[in-house]
Amino acid sequence: VYAQKRGYYIMYAFSENEEKELEFIKHYVRSKLVDGTILLTSRQNDKCISYLKTTKHPFVLIGRPEDAEGTLWVDNDNFQAMYNVVDYLIKKGHKSIAFVGGPMNLYVTRDRFDGYRKALKTHAIGENEKIVKFAAHFSRQCGYAAMKDILESEVPSAVVTTDDLLAFGVTDALHERNINNIAVVGFNNTYLAEYQVPPLTSVDINAQELGKYAAKLLIDKLEQEDTLHTHYIVDTKLVERDSTI
């Protein structure tokens, strides 16, 4: 909406497969069909970012970049957001808190995992590798498989995830075992979160603001407006629902 008001159409690029995403971006950059690109994923050794920098094609990254030099980006404080979630659960009496994350080559996964670990350390709770799992994709199926693996080792009192889809899969695995006394927290507060059984507690990342500031940075770049901002950090909020009561 922000971009359209300024008279621009911006392409958002995302794919679970980095090679396909790069191919997609190359096609549109070469065709000159777009003025700029917003990337929705920040990876280690990101080929898409390297290509866009090499071609000098205007882009903004949603996510913390590996190298902020010469990169415009917006993100949440993912470390602090997950720290707050785990702190919240510990204060509710939970001491065995499982972690189900997405791919480890994504900075969003790493930052949220670091927040999880720091919260445990702050409260003098030891890490337990048996209840930490990383999924290949942000999907319901991957969340389900990860939770099944965790339950083979032990039954935690709470589970934090780095995405609502993973949390939906976690809940599926718990329902299958008729386990209904484990707190589950998602991330991103997708529109389906409140319709789960039970309704899912989740971290709202304020996606609309992320998109707005990404568009602002890109359009300012396209119009060569002087700005002191090279990045924006957008606040998050924990939305409590029945899954943690």
Side-chain angles (χ1 to χ4, degrees), residues 19-238:
E19 296 301 328
K20 286 184 179 179
E21 186 174 316
L22 180 59
E23 184 181 331
F24 177 79
I25 289 170
K26 283 182 176 179
H27 168 73
Y28 276 93
V29 170
R30 289 168 181 163
S31 67
K32 302 188 185 302
L33 291 172
V34 295
D35 297 311
T37 301
I38 294 177
L39 298 174
L40 302 182
T41 306
S42 177
R43 304 180 180 92
Q44 277 188 299
N45 304 313
D46 200 302
K47 295 176 183 176
C48 299
I49 292 175
S50 296
Y51 172 75
L52 291 169
K53 282 186 173 182
T54 300
T55 59
K56 294 182 167 43
H57 178 80
F59 76 96
V60 172
L61 176 65
I62 296 183
R64 180 175 66 84
E66 185 171 24
D67 179 12
E69 184 70 30
T71 302
L72 301 173
W73 59 282
V74 298
D75 202 2
N76 308 114
D77 186 339
N78 286 297
F79 173 92
Q80 189 64 47
M82 184 59 83
Y83 178 95
N84 292 344
V85 168
V86 178
D87 181 69
Y88 155 82
L89 289 170
I90 291 171
K91 287 175 178 175
K92 286 175 73 72
H94 296 283
K95 292 184 179 179
S96 176
I97 302 172
F99 178 93
V100 177
M104 269 298 281
N105 69 323
L106 301 183
Y107 280 102
V108 64
T109 300
R110 288 168 171 259
D111 288 347
R112 291 174 186 175
F113 182 53
D114 287 345
Y116 163 83
R117 297 177 69 196
K118 179 64 175 179
L120 293 180
K121 186 175 181 180
T122 297
H123 290 275
I125 296 174
E127 292 182 45
N128 181 353
E129 293 181 0
K130 293 179 180 179
I131 59 174
V132 172
K133 299 292 176 184
F134 296 95
H137 305 287
F138 293 113
S139 71
R140 191 167 196 145
Q141 293 84 353
C142 285
Y144 170 79
M147 194 64 215
K148 281 194 72 174
D149 284 347
I150 288 171
L151 292 173
E152 290 295 321
S153 300
E154 59 186 87
V155 179
S157 67
V159 185
V160 296
T161 69
T162 61
D163 186 88
D164 282 355
L165 287 175
L166 293 173
F168 299 164
V170 165
T171 302
D172 291 342
L174 294 175
H175 285 166
E176 186 177 83
R177 291 274 296 266
N178 292 317
I179 300 172
N180 54 21
N181 60 345
I182 294 180
V184 180
V185 181
F187 223 106
N188 298 338
N189 195 32
T190 54
Y191 75 97
L192 289 174
E194 63 181 306
Y195 300 110
Q196 298 303 298
V197 180
L200 180 69
T201 293
S202 185
V203 177
D204 192 325
I205 62 171
N206 210 341
Q208 188 171 351
E209 287 292 290
L210 287 170
K212 171 188 168 183
Y213 283 116
K216 175 175 170 48
L217 283 171
L218 186 53
I219 292 169
D220 286 349
K221 170 78 172 177
L222 291 170
E223 297 184 348
Q224 298 182 329
E225 292 187 13
D226 290 331
T227 176
L228 296 175
H229 291 288
T230 58
H231 71 278
Y232 289 93
I233 300 296
V234 174
D235 289 338
T236 60
K237 178 185 177 183
L238 182 65

